[in-house]
Amino acid sequence: MNSKTVVNWLCLSPFIGLLTGVFVLDEYFTDGTGVGKIVFFYGMMALVPLAASLSYWANRRSLKYSMTDWLVPLFAALGLVITYLSHPMWNTKMVTLLLLVVLYFSLRIVLVQHEMNRHILLLCVVVTGFVESLWGLLQLYGYTPSQHVLFRVTGSFFNPGPYAGYLAAVLPMAVFYSLQGGKTIYGRQGIALVTLFGIALVLPATMSRAAWIAGGTGMLVVGICYLFTCGNLSVRYYLSLRNRKGIMVWLAAALLAGISVTGLYHLKKDSADGRALIWKVSMDLIEKQWPLGSGLGYFSGSYGDAQQDYFASGRGTVGEAWLAGEPQYAFNELIQVAVELGLLPLAILLVIVIYACITGIRRGKLAEAGSLVALLVFSSLSYPFSLMPFLVVMVLLIAACVSVRYRFTDVHDFGYKYLFNYKIRRRWNNVWIISLLLMGGVMTACCLYSRYPVYEAHKKWGRARPLYRANAYEKVVESYQDLLPCLGDQVYYLFEYGQALSKIERYEESNRVIGLATRVSADPMLLIILGKNRMGAGDYKYAQTYFERAAQRVPNRLYPYYLMAKAYREAGNLDKAEEVARQVVAKQVKVDSPATREMKAEMKAMINQLEQENAKIRTKEE
């Protein structure tokens, strides 16, 4: 192994490290505050611009620019401007978006420096898929613990949904390398076959319909493109739409796909209908906010208000009221981008991904194109762009699809050379690459410098959380109050801090903190805390408004109606209190528990007491 090869591997190590970040549990690094993967991403990104610079210095290979090189920074700029106009503060998603732009251009430069760089990084993705599939199998058979108490198979993720989605994104890549046969190097086919076998074993156990559809679509793209390019003439004949037999094959495939999708819908019908409700309300929100959006990271808060308005207007059906919840995500990344940023950034993102897929297929990069298609399909049914491993893989796939070395030649046109000859064009290409590396290094340094206090705040929050669980609210407020400037976009921190302030009767401060939380979360409990604070301050009429909003936001919950009845009684509106109390007693609950039975019993007692009081009043009047 010569020195140039050693330098090349050294330069690839930060990028390989970024891909292995999928194995980092969210509870690492910050004492259980759930940002382990993000912290690891920040740490590895500190090395990425340096590695890209070293790789370019060692090889000096030029880069052929692509349309995506203009669209990626344009999308990021629009996203940052729209978010900052709505909420003038820097949150985690904004910083992550900037660093992903740096990662994209760093990958664009590194991938063309050596022909093996692309294959090495893609093989690393396949290896992560193998490790995740093995991890899931060990969880399935009880050898290792799951990351969620309700699910047996989660891999390194907190939920089987994103775990299955990651496997589905790796699946087309494993299929392509398994098909390559004798063309493979470094044992790539063997690794791909083992990965394919592991994913095939564990993916059905996740029960993720979105991942099944995404993985199947990605494999179909790889298979069809591979057969058209490498298959024999008879295979191409049966896949061609220019003859009757080819048309029949595609019609049969479409019929089979329709039957499969129908079956998958009925497999978990309530879940599918719940997502349909989220999409329906989100469409109303997009129309209301046009042409801009609510800002990166603010989907849930704006969605909560939109769902509340939807049910308050009377448009919601009984079935929709039963399925309503407080989603953090839109379960469709395209819709979520439209809600958060508007339709123009959504159009730019679609052009980036579609252009990368088409370019990858044209250049024979079927592994990248198939996985990118699978990721796009999964993103239309789930929330992968909210998780760091998916973002890293997506940036790698886009960069790999469009990256190609620029080969300079002296071109003659009717005996005349172009104005810019070989040396000048090469010099300008070098200037652009060096400029990108310098800007990437400066942006990364600024982002990481601004995030270090946030990292320290997460650690302090993690150490103080046991105080909250122990109900030591005075000490919680003491520990939490200095963290607000750094953790103003963390809903669990805001909830705990606001609740602690409410418990020690600092109601105005609690309202201010919970008000920040309502911007990033649709949870009706935040409105309930605001209502309790108003009750604590003696403002029962205003408290009724918050309880009513919480009940409209998620109509299947019992607790808001229970508190509303008590607020009406305290305000002296006995008739309204009795009416709401009867609704509580008659209301069907999704999960029967001692708490719901206790609330219903208390409401029955209230009804009896109110009836007796009304009877006494009527007796006196007579």
Side-chain angles (χ1 to χ4, degrees):
M1 185 179 290
N2 57 39
S3 59
K4 201 167 186 179
T5 305
V6 172
V7 170
N8 190 61
W9 277 98
L10 183 64
C11 294
L12 284 178
S13 57
F15 298 95
I16 295 172
L18 280 174
L19 295 173
T20 59
V22 67
F23 304 135
V24 176
L25 301 182
D26 288 322
E27 303 306 313
Y28 283 2
F29 300 122
T30 52
D31 297 314
T33 60
V35 291
K37 286 182 172 65
I38 296 177
V39 171
F40 183 82
F41 171 75
Y42 289 162
M44 296 307 300
M45 278 301 299
L47 303 174
V48 163
L50 297 175
S53 302
L54 179 60
S55 180
Y56 178 69
W57 177 80
N59 296 278
R60 300 294 178 92
R61 300 289 175 86
S62 301
L63 177 67
K64 186 174 183 179
Y65 292 100
S66 167
M67 183 173 68
T68 55
D69 297 336
W70 303 101
L71 294 180
V72 167
L74 177 60
F75 171 79
L78 285 174
L80 295 175
V81 169
I82 290 169
T83 304
Y84 198 80
L85 287 175
S86 304
H87 309 278
M89 60 172 287
W90 285 89
N91 62 27
T92 301
K93 282 198 170 185
M94 295 169 73
V95 175
T96 300
L97 179 59
L98 269 178
L99 291 176
L100 288 173
V101 174
V102 175
L103 176 61
Y104 167 78
F105 283 106
S106 299
L107 281 167
R108 290 278 284 119
I109 294 167
V110 167
L111 288 173
V112 300
Q113 300 309 312
H114 195 286
E115 59 183 9
M116 285 307 304
N117 287 355
R118 179 173 69 91
H119 296 298
I120 290 169
L121 292 179
L122 294 181
L123 184 61
C124 288
V125 175
V126 175
V127 170
T128 62
F130 167 71
V131 175
E132 285 289 347
S133 65
L134 181 60
W135 197 334
L137 287 171
L138 291 174
Q139 290 173 336
L140 183 62
Y141 292 103
Y143 292 104
T144 56
S146 167
Q147 310 306 321
H148 197 294
V149 294
L150 299 179
F151 304 104
R152 293 186 65 180
V153 182
T154 62
S156 63
F157 294 85
F158 62 89
N159 189 292
Y163 169 65
Y166 189 83
L167 295 180
V170 176
L171 186 57
M173 202 177 296
V175 169
F176 175 75
Y177 286 134
S178 298
L179 291 172
Q180 276 202 309
K183 298 179 181 179
T184 58
I185 52 177
Y186 296 147
R188 197 166 57 202
Q189 186 185 34
I191 295 172
L193 284 170
V194 173
T195 303
L196 183 59
F197 182 69
I199 293 175
L201 287 177
V202 76
L203 193 58
T206 63
M207 295 300 291
S208 173
R209 298 157 301 165
W212 297 346
I213 295 171
T217 306
M219 284 196 301
L220 191 63
V221 169
V222 169
I224 291 172
C225 293
Y226 187 84
L227 289 174
F228 265 112
T229 55
C230 305
N232 55 41
L233 292 175
S234 61
V235 172
R236 297 180 194 178
Y237 175 78
Y238 281 105
L239 290 177
S240 176
L241 290 173
R242 296 179 181 179
N243 60 78
R244 187 178 300 175
K245 290 183 179 179
I247 293 173
M248 293 300 294
V249 168
W250 283 105
L251 286 176
L255 179 62
L256 180 62
I259 294 172
S260 300
V261 169
T262 303
L264 291 175
Y265 166 74
H266 288 283
L267 182 64
K268 289 195 284 186
K269 186 176 180 297
D270 284 350
S271 174
D273 290 340
R275 296 186 186 191
L277 171 63
I278 296 172
W279 301 342
K280 185 178 179 180
V281 175
S282 296
M283 290 300 180
D284 290 345
L285 187 55
I286 293 169
E287 184 180 354
K288 179 182 176 182
Q289 295 180 155
W290 166 262
L292 302 179
S294 56
L296 279 172
Y298 296 95
F299 165 79
S300 187
S302 56
Y303 176 86
D305 293 335
Q307 183 167 278
Q308 173 189 314
D309 294 340
Y310 178 74
F311 286 111
S313 67
R315 291 184 293 153
T317 65
V318 175
E320 289 175 335
W322 183 253
L323 295 171
E326 63 278 0
Q328 289 180 281
Y329 320 105
F331 289 92
N332 184 312
E333 292 292 2
L334 304 180
I335 291 177
Q336 183 155 338
V337 169
V339 170
E340 292 187 341
L341 301 180
L343 294 180
L344 178 58
L346 172 62
I348 295 172
L349 179 62
L350 282 174
V351 171
I352 291 170
V353 177
I354 293 171
Y355 176 82
C357 288
I358 294 173
T359 303
I361 291 172
R362 285 178 174 175
R363 292 175 177 170
K365 299 178 178 181
L366 302 185
E368 298 95 312
S371 290
L372 195 55
V373 168
L375 192 53
L376 182 62
V377 173
F378 185 69
S379 70
S380 66
L381 299 167
S382 191
Y383 49 93
F385 298 166
S386 299
L387 304 174
M388 190 53 65
F390 289 96
L391 293 172
V392 172
V393 170
M394 185 183 72
V395 171
L396 170 62
L397 294 175
I398 292 173
C401 282
V402 301
S403 290
V404 64
R405 182 186 170 193
Y406 189 60
R407 302 183 184 276
F408 295 95
T409 56
D410 282 331
V411 182
H412 292 73
D413 185 17
F414 300 105
Y416 296 96
K417 288 186 177 181
Y418 280 129
L419 179 62
F420 295 105
N421 64 18
Y422 171 86
K423 291 182 179 179
I424 296 176
R425 283 182 283 136
R426 186 177 181 86
R427 189 178 303 151
W428 274 107
N429 196 287
N430 292 340
V431 168
W432 275 109
I433 290 176
I434 293 170
S435 301
L436 286 173
L437 291 170
L438 287 174
M439 286 189 293
V442 171
M443 286 171 58
T444 301
C446 292
C447 288
L448 297 183
Y449 179 78
S450 69
R451 288 289 97 182
Y452 184 74
V454 179
Y455 166 68
E456 289 294 326
H458 271 280
K459 290 177 67 176
K460 292 177 182 177
W461 173 32
R463 289 194 293 267
R465 292 188 89 179
L467 296 172
Y468 179 79
R469 300 186 187 104
N471 299 331
Y473 297 118
E474 291 279 0
K475 293 183 178 179
V476 167
V477 171
E478 241 178 77
S479 303
Y480 279 35
Q481 58 189 359
D482 295 331
L483 309 180
L484 185 60
C486 294
L487 301 179
D489 61 338
Q490 300 296 311
V491 64
Y492 295 113
Y493 159 78
L494 295 171
F495 179 87
E496 292 170 7
Y497 185 26
Q499 179 81 314
L501 287 167
S502 178
K503 293 292 185 181
I504 61 174
E505 300 182 0
R506 290 164 63 173
Y507 298 123
E508 289 303 319
E509 294 176 66
S510 176
N511 287 340
R512 182 171 62 88
V513 173
I514 296 299
L516 293 175
T518 58
R519 296 162 64 180
V520 292
S521 175
D523 192 349
M525 276 301 300
L526 299 172
L527 299 177
I528 287 173
I529 293 174
L530 291 173
K532 285 184 173 181
N533 288 343
R534 293 298 179 183
M535 285 185 71
D539 190 352
Y540 299 109
K541 290 185 177 180
Y542 206 2
Q544 297 164 17
T545 304
Y546 282 116
F547 297 143
E548 186 176 354
R549 287 177 59 193
Q552 290 169 343
R553 179 168 292 191
V554 186
N556 55 61
R557 301 286 173 83
L558 195 67
Y559 193 44
Y561 292 94
Y562 164 79
L563 292 174
M564 199 190 311
K566 296 183 74 172
Y568 277 126
R569 184 175 183 181
E570 294 293 337
N573 193 342
L574 302 184
D575 292 336
K576 193 66 177 177
E578 184 177 351
E579 179 186 338
V580 177
R582 292 186 184 278
Q583 290 181 24
V584 173
V585 173
K587 194 171 183 61
Q588 185 180 1
V589 294
K590 294 183 75 170
V591 181
D592 190 25
S593 67
T596 58
R597 291 193 291 271
E598 185 178 338
M599 282 188 277
K600 288 195 173 192
E602 188 174 339
M603 289 296 102
K604 287 179 182 177
M606 180 189 289
I607 292 169
N608 293 333
Q609 190 174 1
L610 290 172
E611 287 178 345
Q612 291 175 5
E613 290 177 5
N614 288 333
K616 289 179 180 178
I617 292 171
R618 285 194 296 269
T619 302
K620 288 180 180 179
E621 290 176 350
E622 291 174 358

